[in-house]
Amino acid sequence: MLAIALGAAQLVLALLFLFAGLPKVLGRGLDRWAGFDALPRPLTVLIGAAEIAGSLALVLPPLLGRLPWVTPLAAGGLAVVTLMAAGFHLRADERLRALETVLWALLCGTVAVGRWDLLATGPDLGAALLAPVIGVLLVGLGVNLVAILRAPGASPVDS
């Protein structure tokens, strides 16, 4: 059950970060993203490239059966990038979006902890804890997304 929950979380995160990173690298649609108009273009491209690389590192090692230790490192790195993104939303006084990014970061962190055994021997929190945490985070993200979309003046692409 834990392997399925982690795999599903990795797939969802990989798609999220792929589609979040592409506009930053390509330079299209950045006006829809909070705070990127104030960043230098090279920094925006670097952030987008990191998100794309992280998304690939979440799914390619398990699919290829090589370098499995990359997955928990990518998940941890994406958690850090996502927590920093919450600062953009807080600065723009977008509390629901800040909460959403924190939830995404928690999901990344949960994948990092769940896949930590691929990196080294370490503490094992076990499936009894991690699978429900992933479920709660996914439900929380869904509820938060509905709240964002129902907010006055909300647009589905404003994240």
Side-chain angles (χ1 to χ4, degrees), residues 64-128:
L64 300 175
R66 301 192 53 118
L67 305 172
W69 52 270
V70 170
T71 300
L73 293 179
L78 288 170
V80 170
V81 168
T82 307
L83 281 175
M84 290 190 295
F88 281 106
H89 293 296
L90 288 174
R91 193 173 64 190
D93 200 30
E94 299 174 338
R95 290 185 179 99
L96 277 176
R97 298 216 183 266
L99 175 62
E100 179 188 12
T101 55
V102 168
L103 289 170
W104 285 117
L106 288 172
L107 187 59
C108 288
T110 303
V111 168
V113 169
R115 296 294 189 200
W116 193 258
D117 64 329
L118 301 174
L119 184 60
T121 58
D124 181 18
L125 298 179

Side-chain angles (χ1 to χ4, degrees), residues 9-22 25 47-75 78 111:
Q10 284 172 239
L11 182 59
V12 167
L13 289 169
L15 290 173
L16 168 80
F17 285 105
L18 178 65
F19 290 115
L22 283 174
V25 170
I47 292 168
E51 290 174 340
I52 292 169
S55 73
L56 295 174
L58 285 174
V59 293
L60 287 181
L63 290 176
L64 300 175
R66 301 192 53 118
L67 305 172
W69 52 270
V70 170
T71 300
L73 293 179
L78 288 170
V111 168

Side-chain angles (χ1 to χ4, degrees), residues 24-41:
K24 294 169 189 142
V25 170
L26 299 175
R28 296 180 179 209
L30 284 179
D31 53 333
R32 298 177 183 167
W33 297 79
F36 282 100
D37 52 345
L39 290 179
R41 179 76 182 126

